[in-house]
Amino acid sequence: MTGTENSEARVRGPADVEEFARRCFQGTPGDRIGVELEFLVFDREEPSRHVRVERTAGALPALAGGSAVSFEPGGQLELAGPPGPLPGAVRALAADVECVRAALREEGLALAGMGLDPLRTPLRQLRQPRYEAMAELLGEPYGPIMMCLTASVQVNVDFGERPAVRWERACGLGPLLSACFANSPILDGRPCGWMSGRQAVWLHLDPTRTRPVGSGGDPAAAWARYLMDARLMLVPERRPRRHTPPNRATFGHWTKAPRLGGHPPTTTDLAYHATTVFPPVRPRGWLEIRYLDAVHPRWWPACVAVTSALLLDDRAADAALAAAEPFAGRWWQSAQVGLGDRRVRRAAETCFRAAAEALPRLGAGRDLVAAVESFAERQVVPGRSPALDLLRARDGGAGPLDWLGEEVPA
């Protein structure tokens, strides 16, 4: 993580935090893409049963595409493909996803792409100190839901030669792209009232660590203020780590009261603190796009391709930002209605056309362009976020495995 190297240098106040924040925007100047896909794992015989991490891990095959495997606290499976040019990054991860799906199917498990578990209650399986502290700080009901029942598509993008420009694009397009791929309308077996229930959960969490960093002006200065104002989750003690007491103490408070964490804060402590905040876009020496719901394996390549094209290609970005400008900052609206607003749908059509035209300029083949055009025709033009497919399948009397996202409804 660029700009977060270990250092015992003391952090004394805002100037030191801003110096750190500026290093977070000093990444590689390329155009690489990295993709992290989270999936919910279900038992085919009894979908309402929780699947243990050990069972999923034991069923996983070797992955020729080089994807890294990890698990989220509730047992969600994450596949992170190696970064590279967009076409190759998508191709390698797609092969690994299909390999995993086939292997899990043989073991009676289903890999479901959706942003929110529609059936099960939260059950945390991972107990590392980080997750213990997170559960304590975030509280109920949204903390356990976020940790155990949510899944996302995360797109990581190089900053390129103009980090501030790509930062503005990622932030400005966030609500519109979130609406396009909203795919989490069901919780505990019932409609939750949101097209992106996952995004609604994040919006209801601790705002000091989940609200947008903000765009306009100096992004590094904004990121520094964000880090100063975010509540402490877990202070890395010299030995061992312990939970931060449940209070409103922020990193800024720690710089003024060094005894708060048992020792004065260092750059290492600040780097760790930066990993405990979760804004929709996060700078880590590259851009982390964190606002996209998990989607069906058929659709995630389109999601990644559109997001990447609108950040990397100047012509596409200009068209998309002009269309998305009226919706900038409207995170609550995009989570609630998705593409149900006609104005949002028209803006989304503009963005998808711009992305499809840009993809060949980024080296993408016809297959990736076709995936974007297919998603646009099926979902965007009729104003139909993927969430509606899940709701219609459920309301039509389909069985759980049919509306869990294993298959795309006709």
Side-chain angles (χ1 to χ4, degrees):
M1 178 173 171
T2 302
T4 60
E5 62 276 2
N6 290 336
S7 169
E8 294 306 309
R10 182 171 174 179
V11 178
R12 298 181 179 275
D16 292 338
V17 175
E18 184 167 330
E19 180 182 351
F20 168 89
R22 292 197 181 283
R23 292 199 298 273
C24 292
F25 284 86
Q26 293 172 356
T28 54
D31 292 333
R32 295 179 306 163
I33 299 296
V35 184
E36 300 176 26
L37 303 177
E38 294 173 349
F39 293 100
L40 301 168
V41 181
F42 290 90
D43 185 304
R44 288 178 172 276
E45 294 293 325
E46 191 177 343
S48 61
R49 176 194 303 167
H50 290 90
V51 177
R52 303 300 302 183
V53 165
E54 295 79 7
R55 182 181 174 191
T56 304
L60 293 175
L63 299 179
S67 298
V69 176
S70 60
F71 291 91
E72 293 298 308
Q76 307 97 310
L77 173 65
E78 180 181 292
L79 299 176
L86 173 63
V90 170
R91 190 181 310 113
L93 184 53
D96 284 347
V97 169
E98 290 311 306
C99 186
V100 169
R101 291 183 77 200
L104 294 188
R105 190 178 295 113
E106 288 293 319
E107 296 298 323
L109 299 174
L111 198 67
M114 56 180 58
L116 188 62
D117 191 322
L119 293 177
R120 298 172 297 195
T121 56
L123 175 66
R124 185 157 57 91
Q125 300 189 44
L126 303 186
R127 295 286 172 178
Q128 290 93 327
R130 174 185 178 89
Y131 297 131
E132 293 290 318
M134 189 181 297
E136 180 180 330
L137 180 70
L138 297 179
E140 296 186 359
Y142 297 107
I145 294 174
M146 181 277 284
M147 296 175 69
C148 301
L149 302 184
T150 62
S152 69
V153 172
Q154 182 172 304
V155 183
N156 302 318
V157 184
D158 276 342
F159 268 120
E161 299 289 348
R162 298 178 294 165
V165 170
R166 288 191 179 171
W167 172 261
E168 291 296 323
R169 291 172 181 176
C171 295
L173 293 171
L176 186 61
L177 289 175
S178 177
C180 291
F181 297 101
N183 191 39
S184 46
I186 303 170
L187 180 65
D188 197 23
R190 298 184 297 274
C192 64
W194 303 78
M195 290 292 99
S196 179
R198 171 189 164 274
Q199 188 65 37
V201 168
W202 283 98
L203 290 169
H204 282 92
L205 287 171
D206 175 10
T208 74
R209 63 184 357 91
T210 61
R211 74 180 190 276
V213 175
S215 57
D218 181 351
W223 179 228
R225 289 192 297 271
Y226 194 99
L227 293 173
M228 286 285 285
D229 294 342
R231 296 166 65 194
L232 290 169
M233 188 179 84
L234 180 66
V235 173
E237 285 282 10
R238 295 297 187 250
R239 59 180 192 278
R241 286 185 173 179
R242 67 169 177 82
H243 298 347
T244 300
N247 55 35
R248 305 298 297 182
T250 67
F251 193 89
H253 292 147
W254 191 9
T255 64
K256 297 175 183 178
R259 292 184 180 181
L260 181 67
H263 63 271
T266 67
T267 302
T268 298
D269 296 322
L270 177 55
Y272 183 81
H273 176 63
T275 72
T276 72
V277 299
F278 312 104
V281 185
R282 185 168 67 174
R284 299 190 66 184
W286 61 87
L287 281 168
E288 274 188 355
I289 311 300
R290 306 177 57 87
Y291 46 68
L292 301 164
D293 280 359
V295 291
H296 188 275
R298 173 182 173 182
W299 293 134
W300 74 258
C303 176
V304 171
V306 169
T307 303
S308 302
L310 298 183
L311 295 182
L312 297 178
D313 186 88
D314 292 343
R315 197 185 315 170
D318 289 345
L321 285 171
E325 195 277 332
F327 314 105
R330 297 189 179 183
W331 295 98
W332 291 89
Q333 178 186 358
S334 68
Q336 187 164 35
V337 304
L339 291 172
D341 185 310
R342 290 194 305 273
R343 297 167 301 170
V344 173
R345 185 193 70 215
R346 288 195 295 268
E349 288 185 63
T350 298
C351 291
F352 270 72
R353 282 195 302 270
E357 292 170 0
L359 284 171
R361 298 194 290 269
L362 298 174
R366 181 59 200 164
D367 56 340
L368 205 49
V369 176
V372 169
E373 292 175 340
S374 178
F375 186 92
E377 180 181 358
R378 189 180 189 282
Q379 312 287 158
V380 177
V381 173
R384 179 172 155 177
S385 297
L388 285 181
D389 292 335
L390 300 179
L391 288 172
R392 289 171 181 174
R394 172 193 175 276
D395 294 343
L401 284 180
D402 294 318
W403 52 271
L404 283 177
E406 258 280 287
E407 301 299 335
V408 177

